[in-house]
Amino acid sequence: MPRVILNPHMRLCFTAVLALLAISLRPAAGMSPCPPQNELQAKAKIVVEARVKSLTIGESGLLVTEGAPTRMIRVDLEIKRVIKGKYPGKEAIVYGTVYPPGPLKELTMMALLVGFGGDDTFEWELARQEIGDGAAFFSMSRCSYYKFPVYNVGPD
């Protein structure tokens, strides 16, 4: 078993991430609409041009109240370039929940198009969520900044 999983600090951080995601599973009553994408881009601290390496939807393993969904979304991104802010890595992992999932349809399309020409990259905000003691994760929400290529797939 990898030593990282056995590290008590990493287990605590992972448990905290899962707990925070479980707490945010309930949608707010009367959720307000998201601001326009240009406003979201202006407020974003880190924006990257990325490509989807993998997209997974599966059980989170969270212990939540009965009837609450336990599925999570994980997107592994390959960073092509940083558009705004600073991000030293070449990869990032973004987590999302079902309430609300964000642009899942677009991310799925991008995951399918990887390697088919030059239109397999998109702009994405890396929204960092701090969970204490220097631990953080990137989250996906319906009000994150993103800009996907436009594909004309319907009849003209």
Side-chain angles (χ1 to χ4, degrees):
M1 183 172 274
R3 296 183 78 170
V4 172
I5 294 174
L6 298 176
N7 183 335
H9 181 70
M10 290 306 296
R11 281 198 321 246
L12 175 65
C13 291
F14 184 70
T15 303
V17 167
L18 293 177
L20 286 173
L21 289 172
I23 291 169
S24 67
L25 285 177
R26 293 185 180 87
M31 293 172 68
S32 61
C34 295
Q37 286 294 314
N38 60 349
E39 288 181 29
L40 291 173
Q41 182 185 26
K43 292 179 183 177
K45 294 180 181 171
I46 304 171
V47 177
V48 296
E49 180 181 0
R51 173 180 289 133
V52 175
K53 288 176 43 178
S54 70
L55 181 130
T56 308
I57 302 171
E59 291 299 323
S60 64
L62 296 174
L63 302 174
V64 296
T65 59
E66 189 173 326
T70 58
R71 298 182 64 81
M72 289 183 61
I73 302 161
R74 174 186 163 137
V75 182
D76 292 15
L77 299 175
E78 176 186 345
I79 308 299
K80 301 310 286 179
R81 68 183 177 102
V82 177
I83 297 171
K84 180 180 179 185
K86 292 182 181 180
Y87 184 72
K90 294 293 181 190
E91 297 178 344
I93 299 172
V94 179
Y95 295 96
T97 60
V98 295
Y99 284 133
L104 184 58
K105 182 174 97 173
E106 292 88 347
L107 285 170
T108 304
M109 173 74 82
M110 298 311 293
L112 292 171
L113 292 176
V114 169
F116 289 112
D119 288 336
D120 61 351
T121 62
F122 55 93
E123 293 182 19
W124 185 265
E125 173 187 3
L126 292 178
R128 183 180 169 102
Q129 301 296 319
E130 297 285 335
I131 56 173
D133 280 344
F137 66 97
F138 294 122
S139 68
M140 174 190 334
S141 76
R142 69 183 184 92
C143 289
S144 295
Y145 169 73
Y146 54 85
K147 182 179 176 186
F148 292 96
V150 177
Y151 297 105
N152 186 5
V153 295
D156 288 340

